[in-house]
């Protein structure tokens, strides 16, 4: 293998077709390669018998398949699995598999840390150290499928709700999700692949031009005043702009599809009756379903999870207004695998860690205990 060999997990069908073309080969060879890799689980170019011999040789010399390294695996009492993965550059990121009766949902990371610094998210407190490659993202799905294979199962749903803001790593996320929904590769339903964003409006607009996977937005507040303090990117792209972009996106998905609204409930901050009513008013006319996520605490966060009664009350108000409203049950709590608890290990380039040194110290200790 040459030092700069191409990791083919990072190329979607179009990427492979372009690669084949530069080698003077027909584009349809890309489909043949995809089927070997994703349907037959065959990574040995030499054994891909329907490819010309010279092509196989060229691949052998110039390309490879490589996966993130599993640094640590933890299985929760409820079956949730969290992996700490080491990427090429040494960064550690997390992914979480949530098995349920009728589905296996994989929550994948798209960035090492996150730049957005939402006030209640522990990933944000880690700072940011770069993007995952498309191969790093696809690799997470390959690894989770390998784990499930031993139980005769596969990942059925993918949510880009791990570490990072997917729309700030647009090209890699697009290539990876293209492979997820390609029948020649993973073949997942486009309804079952969901990109979640804190509200990168230009990213949503761009996404609409190139894909039709599902979209979730992290709303968390019914007013700009409140959201500005929780999700700082709101100051750049306020709620009205965000909802306009989302409405256009779901229009483009067609009448049977819905936008997912994520709303993390923070005790005394955004969980009161007035907030539920405000949310119902804001979302009137938006084709959506609402996922309520009770806050998952982490050391030094300064927030608390609301009392069960408040959570249920909030849900009831929305349901009475006709919204499909799910309460996300907390999974993998014993292994810190819940939403907003994914931290990996980030060599911060934004210096945010300095501002959060105390919180970090507590969290780092948690990571050290893993080893
Ligand atoms: N950056 C993307 C992807 C992260 S998804 C986004 O913001 O959508 C993770 C979801 O969990 C987001 O809705 C996020 O706001 C929420 N979340 C973050 N920290 C949390 C916490 N401590 N408790 C509950 N939900 C949290």
């Amino acid at each position: 293998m040459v030092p700069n060999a191409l990791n083919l997990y990072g190329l979607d069908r179009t990427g492979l077709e372009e690669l084949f073309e530069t080698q003077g080969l027909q584009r349809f060879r890309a489909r043949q390669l995809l089927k070997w890799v994703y349907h037959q689980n065959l990574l040995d170019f030499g054994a891909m018998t329907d490819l010309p011999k010279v092509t196989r040789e060229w691949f052998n010399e110039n390309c490879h398949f490589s996966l993130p390294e599993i640094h640590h695996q933890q299985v929760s009492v409820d079956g949730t699995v969290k992996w700490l993965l080491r990427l090429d550059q040494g960064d550690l990121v997390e992914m979480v598999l949530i098995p349920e009766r009728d589905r296996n949902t994989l929550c994948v990371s798209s960035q090492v840390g996150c730049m957005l610094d939402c006030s209640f998210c522990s990933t944000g407190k880690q700072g940011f150290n770069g993007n995952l490659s498309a191969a790093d993202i696809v690799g997470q799905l390959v690894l989770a499928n390998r784990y499930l294979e031993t139980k005769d199962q596969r990942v059925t749903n993918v949510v880009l709700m791990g570490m990072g803001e997917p729309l700030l790593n647009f090209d890699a996320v697009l290539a990876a999700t293209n492979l997820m929904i390609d029948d020649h590769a993973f073949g997942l339903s486009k309804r079952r692949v969901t990109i979640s964003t804190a509200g990168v409006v230009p990213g949503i607009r761009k996404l609409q031009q190139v894909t039709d996977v599902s979209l979730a937005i992290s709303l968390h507040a019914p007013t700009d005043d409140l959201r500005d303090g929780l999700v700082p990117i709101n100051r750049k792209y306020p709620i009205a702009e965000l909802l306009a972009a989302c409405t256009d996106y779901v229009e483009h998905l067609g009448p049977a599809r819905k936008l997912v609204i994520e709303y993390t409930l923070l005790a005394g901050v955004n969980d009161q009756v007035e907030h539920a009513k405000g949310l119902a008013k804001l979302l009137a006319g938006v084709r959506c379903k609402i996922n309520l996520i009770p806050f998952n605490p982490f050391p030094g966060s300064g927030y608390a999870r609301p009392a069960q009664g408040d959570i249920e009350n909030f849900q009831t108000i929305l349901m009475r207004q006709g919204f499909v409203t799910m309460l996300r049950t907390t999974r993998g709590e014993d292994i810190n695998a819940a939403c907003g608890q994914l931290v990996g290990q980030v060599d911060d380039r934004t210096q945010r860690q300095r501002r959060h040194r105390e919180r970090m110290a507590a969290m780092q200790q948690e990571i050290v205990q893993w080893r």
Side-chain angles (χ1 to χ4, degrees):
M1 198 171 76
V2 292
N4 287 324
L6 196 59
N7 188 352
L8 289 188
Y9 278 131
L11 292 184
D12 61 8
R13 177 141 46 111
T14 315
L16 281 173
E17 284 170 351
E18 280 163 11
L19 178 70
F20 271 74
E21 235 167 20
T22 60
Q23 293 312 303
L25 286 156
Q26 299 108 312
R27 293 167 75 89
F28 76 90
R29 301 276 180 212
R31 290 200 299 272
Q32 293 176 312
L33 181 80
L34 286 174
K35 281 187 175 174
W36 281 119
V37 177
Y38 296 103
H39 293 186
Q40 312 289 335
N41 272 337
L42 186 113
L43 302 179
D44 174 7
F45 298 115
M48 298 179 181
T49 44
D50 55 358
L51 295 176
K53 188 152 176 278
V54 294
T55 313
R56 287 184 255 157
E57 280 165 8
W58 184 84
F59 274 129
N60 251 334
E61 277 165 27
N62 298 286
C63 305
H64 66 117
F65 291 96
S66 101
L67 292 169
E69 178 202 328
I70 296 180
H71 185 68
H72 193 82
Q73 172 181 314
Q74 275 183 306
V75 184
S76 159
V77 287
D78 67 16
T80 301
V81 190
K82 179 165 85 166
W83 287 273
L84 189 60
L85 304 174
R86 187 192 294 281
L87 307 178
D88 271 356
Q89 311 299 323
D91 289 309
L92 297 172
V93 296
E94 294 181 332
M95 69 164 179
V96 178
L97 176 68
I98 305 148
E100 285 167 290
R101 212 161 12 99
D102 55 344
R103 63 174 100 171
N104 288 307
T105 304
L106 184 69
C107 177
V108 303
S109 291
S110 57
Q111 295 187 308
V112 185
C114 188
M115 274 191 279
L116 296 185
D117 202 18
C118 298
S119 65
F120 52 87
C121 178
S122 67
T123 301
K125 305 300 165 234
Q126 294 271 290
F128 174 74
N129 194 32
N131 285 326
L132 267 65
S133 65
D136 292 333
I137 300 171
V138 171
Q140 294 174 64
L141 182 48
V142 175
L143 288 171
N145 273 335
R146 281 191 187 170
Y147 171 85
L148 285 171
E149 231 167 56
T150 59
K151 306 171 195 294
D152 238 6
Q153 294 186 31
R154 287 180 73 77
V155 170
T156 58
N157 296 56
V158 177
V159 291
L160 280 106
M161 295 184 186
M163 295 167 66
E165 167 51 50
L167 294 184
L168 293 181
N169 185 11
F170 194 94
D171 293 346
V173 164
L174 181 65
T177 52
N178 281 345
L179 278 172
M180 291 171 195
I181 60 173
D182 189 335
D183 282 340
H184 295 95
F186 295 97
L188 294 176
S189 155
K190 57 198 175 187
R191 295 157 189 270
R192 291 168 168 246
V193 174
T194 304
I195 294 180
S196 177
T197 178
V200 182
V201 169
I204 298 171
R205 298 248 175 238
K206 202 166 139 194
L207 201 63
Q208 185 178 330
Q209 310 300 318
V210 288
T211 191
D212 51 6
V213 296
S214 296
L215 180 69
I217 57 160
S218 297
L219 192 57
H220 310 315
T223 61
D224 283 324
D225 267 0
L226 184 54
R227 194 166 191 265
D228 279 351
L230 300 175
V231 183
I233 197 175
N234 194 66
R235 293 176 210 148
K236 193 153 183 202
Y237 307 113
I239 293 176
E241 266 182 57
L242 174 58
L243 286 183
C246 291
T247 308
D248 289 348
Y249 191 87
V250 279
E251 277 308 308
H252 127 94
L253 292 183
R257 311 268 303 271
K258 283 182 172 160
L259 173 71
V260 178
I261 303 285
E262 293 164 279
Y263 194 102
T264 295
L265 289 164
L266 306 160
V269 177
N270 66 354
D271 66 336
Q272 302 298 298
V273 172
E274 78 210 57
H275 299 120
K277 287 185 175 164
L279 189 62
K281 207 165 158 198
L282 180 70
L283 296 176
V286 179
R287 207 165 61 230
C288 65
K289 55 185 175 190
I290 303 172
N291 268 350
L292 299 177
I293 319 170
F295 174 65
N296 295 307
F298 57 91
S301 73
Y303 291 106
R305 181 181 298 191
Q308 196 56 28
D310 288 345
I311 295 174
E312 283 162 17
N313 204 15
F314 200 95
Q315 182 182 23
T316 306
I317 294 170
L318 292 170
M319 290 192 353
R320 285 215 180 109
Q321 297 288 324
F323 290 96
V324 175
T325 310
M326 266 97 59
L327 194 57
R328 200 178 284 175
T329 45
T330 302
R331 298 283 307 256
E333 215 171 2
D334 53 326
I335 55 170
N336 282 338
C339 302
Q341 291 184 319
L342 303 189
V343 290
Q345 197 177 64
V346 179
D347 177 15
D348 182 28
R349 282 210 225 123
T350 60
Q351 297 298 310
R352 189 171 299 139
Q353 279 181 4
R354 245 188 333 178
R355 288 183 274 137
H356 295 281
R357 192 168 285 143
E358 264 179 37
R359 296 175 194 185
M360 276 299 298
M363 278 193 283
Q364 286 293 1
Q365 205 149 26
E366 223 168 70
I367 293 167
V368 169
Q369 280 164 15
W370 275 29
R371 295 201 184 122

